[in-house]
Structure formats: C-alpha cells, structure tokens
Amino acid sequence: MVAIDEFTEDIKHGRKTKLSDTVTKFMSEAKSAEPSDSIKVKAVQMEKELEKADKLSDKFRAKAAELEEKNKDLTEENDKLGRAMKEILESLKESSTKPGGRDAYMHVPTLEKILAMMEAKTVDGKYEAQVYLKAQVDQLTGRNEELRRELRQARTDYEKARLEVEKANSKVSCV
C-alpha cells in the first residue's frame, strides 16, 4: 500500500516515476505483508454473517415455495367452484326452457354477479371492477338489443293481426 501511496503523491506533485517500478514495489510489499489479526477476525465475522444470511435466505425461499403451492391450489379450487356455479346456472336455465319444466326461470342475481366477476378476471388473476362493469354493460346492451328485436316483431305481429281483423270485419259487413 505504501507503494501506491507514494505513486499517488508523485503524480500529485508532478514527479515522474515509472509505473513498472511502482508495480514491482507494490507486489513485493503484498508478498511480505501478512494480514493483521483484526482483518482475520473481521473475515471470520463476515463468514458467520454470510452463513446466517444463507440460512435465512433458504428459509424464505422454502416459505415462498410453500405459499406459491398454496396459491396454486386455491386458484385451482376457485376455478372448479366457478365451473360448478356455471353448471348450476346453466341447468337452471335449461330446466326452465324444457317442456314440462318450471314455467319461470329462477333468477339468481348473486350467482350471476359472481360468475360475471369471475369471468372478468384479468390475466394476473385479479378482479377489476372496471372489467366487471364493462362486462355488465355489454350484457345489458345485448339484452336491450334483444328486447328491441322482440318489440319490432310484436309490432309487426300486431299490424298483421289488425289487418286480418279489418278484413274479417269488412267481409262481415259486406255480407
């Protein structure tokens, strides 16, 4: 270290020295110098701290792996429950449309909302209100269009029926 300090001082004061002489001096000092006891103690302390940090790191990795596995299991269970709820809703809809089935469709808004929310899940698995609300708006828009078609059909059916009634009335009045 003395050689490096001398070289630095020489450069600061503008004295010219050969770099090869400084390197040779530094190497000979490094070979002859033994590490001090305080450096050895510090090295032992650092090794112990490193071992503790490695053990702690391994413990955290194991815990993270355990939590990831638990998360995976819960996600699979959630998906299965979602599929089961869809099946329940579909069977309710089918039973109401079959002949001999119940007259009215059993409307379960909570189940429908839960299913819509599960379908609106983002790629990373989080539920976002925006996505859910957009899905709900899309559903309502589709229903609105369906009702408009039904209304148009009902109006045309009404006009046909009205024309038939007028024809029948005119035939009766002519006779």
Side-chain angles (χ1 to χ4, degrees):
M1 294 298 220
V2 174
I4 293 174
D5 292 337
E6 287 175 4
F7 181 73
T8 308
E9 287 298 315
D10 288 345
I11 291 175
K12 283 182 185 175
H13 297 296
R15 290 182 246 153
K16 295 188 178 188
T17 57
K18 290 185 179 178
L19 183 59
S20 61
D21 293 339
T22 307
V23 170
T24 309
K25 220 189 252 187
F26 176 73
M27 294 302 285
S28 63
E29 285 177 7
K31 288 179 183 175
S32 64
E34 275 190 37
S36 66
D37 290 337
S38 64
I39 292 176
K40 289 179 182 178
V41 169
K42 191 72 167 176
V44 169
Q45 287 176 343
M46 291 181 85
E47 283 181 23
K48 288 180 182 177
E49 288 178 20
L50 181 62
E51 287 176 12
K52 286 180 185 177
D54 283 343
K55 287 179 183 177
L56 190 60
S57 176
D58 290 342
K59 181 180 172 183
F60 285 141
R61 280 191 191 104
K63 184 70 173 177
E66 179 183 320
L67 290 173
E68 284 177 5
E69 184 65 29
K70 189 174 182 179
N71 186 25
K72 181 181 171 187
D73 291 344
L74 289 173
T75 302
E76 288 175 5
E77 185 178 342
N78 192 15
D79 290 340
K80 288 177 185 176
L81 288 172
R83 286 192 299 271
M85 285 191 283
K86 283 182 186 178
E87 288 176 13
I88 291 169
L89 189 61
E90 288 300 316
S91 67
L92 286 173
K93 286 180 182 178
E94 286 175 14
S95 68
S96 67
T97 58
K98 286 183 182 176
R102 289 186 297 245
D103 292 337
Y105 163 62
M106 192 163 118
H107 185 68
V108 186
T110 306
L111 181 60
E112 290 174 357
K113 284 180 184 178
I114 290 172
L115 285 173
M117 192 171 71
M118 289 179 80
E119 289 172 355
K121 230 185 334 184
T122 59
V123 175
D124 58 355
K126 295 181 181 174
Y127 301 105
E128 289 190 21
Q130 260 183 334
V131 177
Y132 170 69
L133 292 175
K134 184 181 180 321
Q136 202 171 23
V137 166
D138 291 344
Q139 180 185 12
L140 292 174
T141 302
R143 180 68 180 138
N144 190 12
E145 290 173 7
E146 183 181 330
L147 289 173
R148 285 183 182 180
R149 274 194 305 269
E150 289 177 13
L151 180 61
R152 279 189 218 112
Q153 183 64 38
R155 283 181 180 161
T156 56
D157 290 346
Y158 167 74
E159 285 297 318
K160 286 179 185 176
R162 188 179 62 79
L163 289 174
E164 287 179 17
V165 167
E166 285 181 6
K167 279 184 186 179
N169 284 340
S170 67
K171 283 184 183 178
V172 169
S173 63
C174 289
V175 177

